[in-house]
């Protein structure tokens, strides 16, 4: 568990929490996971769905998911194939299998209650450091720094005077976020959410809207007249079009649409490059998103 108070050796920072909290409480988007009474299970599902996926695509899928599986035990009782089908076009379908595995762990080990402790969350299959901290903060109101790509960009600009955050480094990113968190738990949770929201809506990667930023007068990057970034850069994701990810998605669409095993002959038309198509299929089998062989056909995992 994180220390609930700011570390004594944390570098003193300009107070950005106060104006950010005021801005967030006035301007934050009305999203399901921010509403009073939203369950911890819903927070966990939303955080996994939101990884590398736009909010607008997640909201309807999240609502349908929680209607069908309102508790972890409900999801655990369904075969993994149902989770993959329900994931539909959210992308990175391994997340559906990870969520199913986490739901099974919660149902079996935690009496169907999403754990509050970060270490207990990390012990669940498929749950990483960001998701564990986000659930502890946004579902239970505990005081931890939560860092995603938007947070890293805001902190790099506002505190370090850098236009880009560079590659992720947890040993640096988490203490930096910790250094701006108020001691009060509610204010700390609001600060985490506010920094994320600012990075998503205002302090965006290209063409940040500094005229709408509540901490523009405290931003080190702005004060330095927006110097060009000359340090290491975070790796960029490869283009989707023509990638193995696209081919994997096309094969997955075939498997989701069929209630019977799909033959290799039926898979072949989804992509003209046989070598890339076979590579994508092999990776789906390796990841557990597809099962079968040429003789029996290919299908989604049933359990």
């Amino acid at each position: 568990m994180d220390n609930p108070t700011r570390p004594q050796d944390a570098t003193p920072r300009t107070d950005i929490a106060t104006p950010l909290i005021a801005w967030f409480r006035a301007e934050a988007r009305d999203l399901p996971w921010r509403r009073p009474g939203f369950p911890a299970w819903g927070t966990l599902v939303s955080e996994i769905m939101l990884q590398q996926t736009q909010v607008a695509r997640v909201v309807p899928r999240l609502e349908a998911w929680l209607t069908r599986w309102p508790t972890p035990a409900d999801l655990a009782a369904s075969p993994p194939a149902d989770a993959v089908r329900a994931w539909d076009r959210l992308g990175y379908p391994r997340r559906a299998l990870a969520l199913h595995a986490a739901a099974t762990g919660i149902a079996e080990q935690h009496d169907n209650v999403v754990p509050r402790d970060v270490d207990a969350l990390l012990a669940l299959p498929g749950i990483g450091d960001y998701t564990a901290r986000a659930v502890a903060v946004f579902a239970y109101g505990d005081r931890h720094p939560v860092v995603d790509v938007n947070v890293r960009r805001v902190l790099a600009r506002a505190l370090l005077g850098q236009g880009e955050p560079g590659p992720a480094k947890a040993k640096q990113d988490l203490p930096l976020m910790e250094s701006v968190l108020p001691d009060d738990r509610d204010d700390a949770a609001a600060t985490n959410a506010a920094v994320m929201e600012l990075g998503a809506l205002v302090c965006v990667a290209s063409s940040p809207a500094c005229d709408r930023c509540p901490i523009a007068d405290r931003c080190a990057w702005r004060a330095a007249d927006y110097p060009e970034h000359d340090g290491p850069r975070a790796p960029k994701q490869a283009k989707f079009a023509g990638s193995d990810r696209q081919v994997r998605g096309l094969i997955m669409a075939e498997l989701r649409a069929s209630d019977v095993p799909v033959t290799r002959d039926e898979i072949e038309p989804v992509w003209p490059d046989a070598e890339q198509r076979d590579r994508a299929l092999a990776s789906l089998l390796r990841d557990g998103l597809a099962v079968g062989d040429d003789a029996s056909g290919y299908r989604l995992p049933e359990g």
Side-chain angles (χ1 to χ4, degrees):
M1 296 288 288
D2 291 318
N3 190 323
T5 60
R6 184 177 296 121
Q8 293 181 356
D9 60 350
T11 303
R13 300 290 177 186
T14 298
D15 176 22
I16 64 172
T18 299
L20 277 174
I21 291 171
W23 170 82
F24 179 74
R25 288 175 175 162
E27 303 292 338
R29 291 170 290 179
D30 177 21
L31 299 173
W33 47 89
R34 292 177 177 165
R35 295 170 188 162
F38 195 72
W41 167 239
T43 300
L44 175 59
V45 175
S46 69
E47 286 296 343
I48 292 179
M49 286 186 170
L50 285 164
Q51 294 168 12
Q52 298 181 293
T53 306
Q54 296 173 335
V55 168
R57 296 176 58 204
V58 166
V59 170
R61 186 60 53 203
L62 172 68
E63 292 174 346
W65 189 285
L66 294 179
T67 297
R68 182 173 182 180
W69 296 302
T71 72
D74 294 317
L75 176 58
S78 295
D82 286 355
V84 175
R85 284 194 176 91
W87 201 257
D88 197 22
R89 297 189 180 95
L90 283 180
Y92 300 97
R94 278 178 292 184
R95 293 180 294 168
L97 292 182
L99 190 49
H100 187 278
T104 301
I106 294 167
E108 294 178 351
Q109 302 166 24
H110 298 281
D111 296 325
N112 205 30
V113 176
V114 175
R116 179 172 188 163
D117 181 74
V118 168
D119 289 337
L121 286 160
L122 285 170
L124 294 170
I127 303 300
D129 187 70
Y130 166 80
T131 302
R133 290 170 177 273
V135 170
V137 171
F138 300 132
Y140 293 113
D142 290 344
R143 187 184 180 281
H144 305 280
V146 182
V147 177
D148 68 359
V149 64
N150 289 320
V151 169
R152 293 178 57 247
R153 183 170 57 254
V154 170
L155 296 180
R157 290 173 175 173
L159 303 184
L160 306 180
Q162 301 171 356
E164 298 181 22
K169 295 180 180 178
K171 290 184 179 180
Q172 296 178 18
D173 299 335
L174 290 172
L176 190 60
M177 185 62 201
E178 169 74 24
S179 73
V180 304
L181 291 182
D183 292 334
D184 179 81
R185 291 198 325 171
D186 290 342
D187 286 347
T191 301
N192 275 304
V195 176
M196 287 185 184
E197 189 83 337
L198 190 75
L201 301 181
V202 177
C203 193
V204 294
S206 300
S207 303
C210 299
D211 59 323
R212 296 193 289 113
C213 179
I215 57 170
D217 61 337
R218 311 174 192 213
C219 177
W221 187 47
R222 180 172 181 263
D225 197 24
Y226 308 108
E228 291 289 332
H229 182 71
D230 59 2
R233 298 177 183 273
K236 291 187 176 181
Q237 189 179 64
K239 291 183 178 180
F240 178 74
S243 67
D244 284 6
R245 285 177 51 224
Q246 181 183 17
V247 184
R248 281 166 57 102
L250 293 171
I251 295 173
M252 286 295 295
E254 289 293 315
L255 301 185
R256 280 196 302 266
S258 179
D259 293 326
V260 297
V262 177
T263 67
R264 182 175 284 271
D265 287 344
E266 291 172 318
I267 292 174
E268 286 184 359
V270 307
W271 195 253
D273 185 331
E275 181 179 352
Q276 188 177 21
R277 187 179 62 242
D278 290 346
R279 184 170 65 244
L281 176 59
S283 72
L284 291 173
L285 293 167
R286 187 168 57 250
D287 290 342
L289 287 165
V291 296
D293 51 39
D294 284 355
S296 62
Y298 298 93
R299 55 181 173 80
L300 298 176
E302 293 298 331

